[in-house]
Amino acid sequence: MHEPLDVAAADAYLRDARCGGLNLFVGTTRQWTGTRETVELAYECYEPMAIKEMQRLVDEAKARWPIERVCVLHRLGVVPVAEASVVVGVATPHRAAAFEACRFLIDELKVQVPIWKREHYTDGTTEWVQGAQPPRVEGEG
Amino acid sequence: MNESHPVVFTVLLFSILREKVGRAAVDVAVPAPATGSALLDALEAAHPAVAPYRPVIRLAVNQTYVPESVRLTEGDEVALITPVSGG
């Protein structure tokens, strides 16, 4: 979605009487990376595959942890400094699983979901950020 | 499928590859038998700008990651995925 992410709406959705733990991760645009100052980030996405990959990761998380509610949202287009680009939330009966599942989802999103960010620096330059390479799956390549 | 003729695939490009090639999609004729690596070879020959990224490109067919050894079928949706940087 290209609009600002509604963290309060995500929180409200994740509230569940069966759950005692709710973990909400919000990723935001950072102003400084080392000595370079960022004005904004711009995100590009291969949308149908991104949706499929997010669903696959959610299915995998649900198979590993007792998740009652989950949300994964990513903003596209321009995201100014301090605004949210990604929201991942998990609600589980006990907190440990909520932390673990939320960490799993954001870490996997960052290597599997086909979304790319472009840095726009204050000096007028721009740069595509190349993410970490995922570990090679056996039989791949 | 006629094995003696190359099959043309439309390959989707994103982020840095889209910029380096100058287009969001390119048609690539792949000699039979059409595999992922044959497609990448043909693409690289037609668009040398892709070459430096070849070691980090992951292939997606019909919106799923696949190994380069995959056998392609006419009509497959092929996309090249450089290391992603969402989040």
Side-chain angles (χ1 to χ4, degrees):
Chain A
M1 55 183 70
H2 286 75
E3 302 78 32
L5 298 179
D6 189 341
V7 178
D11 176 30
Y13 170 74
L14 292 164
R15 299 296 172 125
D16 188 300
R18 294 165 293 184
C19 295
L22 187 167
N23 208 274
L24 191 60
F25 173 82
V26 180
T28 56
T29 297
R30 181 178 56 242
Q31 185 172 13
W32 292 94
T33 300
T35 56
R36 305 195 78 178
E37 186 180 5
T38 297
V39 184
E40 62 191 25
L41 297 173
Y43 288 89
E44 177 175 333
C45 179
Y46 177 19
E47 277 194 59
M49 183 171 172
I51 299 287
K52 248 169 116 166
E53 280 295 300
M54 285 175 172
Q55 186 60 57
R56 186 179 67 76
L57 296 177
V58 165
D59 291 345
E60 200 178 324
K62 281 181 165 173
R64 289 174 62 175
W65 293 282
I67 295 171
E68 298 296 347
R69 291 200 177 231
V70 56
C71 71
V72 179
L73 306 168
H74 205 296
R75 189 171 167 187
L76 299 175
V78 170
V79 182
V81 161
E83 291 194 19
S85 55
V86 63
V87 172
V88 177
V90 179
T92 59
H94 302 280
R95 72 183 182 284
F99 276 110
E100 288 168 17
C102 191
R103 179 73 190 253
F104 166 83
L105 285 169
I106 182 62
D107 286 355
E108 285 296 307
L109 179 148
K110 287 175 81 86
V111 286
Q112 304 295 358
V113 178
I115 298 174
W116 299 265
K117 66 164 75 81
R118 186 174 188 142
E119 290 269 6
H120 290 237
Y121 296 110
T122 47
D123 63 8
T125 60
T126 67
E127 185 176 69
W128 284 108
V129 180
Q130 183 163 289
Q133 271 184 266
R136 282 269 166 190
V137 178
E138 202 172 324
E140 191 179 347
Chain B
M1 199 191 327
N2 189 336
E3 294 285 341
S4 60
H5 292 290
V7 182
V8 176
F9 294 93
T10 299
V11 180
L12 305 178
L13 305 174
F14 301 91
S15 71
I16 197 147
L17 283 181
R18 177 177 55 71
E19 285 194 357
K20 295 288 179 187
V21 173
R23 287 152 69 185
V26 290
D27 285 346
V28 182
V30 185
T35 62
S37 42
L39 177 137
L40 286 166
D41 289 345
L43 181 79
E44 199 178 298
H47 302 278
V50 170
Y53 300 94
R54 177 80 183 259
V56 298
I57 287 172
R58 274 197 292 175
L59 201 60
V61 172
N62 301 327
Q63 300 143 22
T64 301
Y65 290 114
V66 293
E68 284 188 23
S69 57
V70 69
R71 183 70 182 263
L72 299 170
T73 306
E74 200 162 6
D76 279 345
E77 181 176 308
V78 180
L80 304 191
I81 313 292
T82 52
V84 303
S85 54

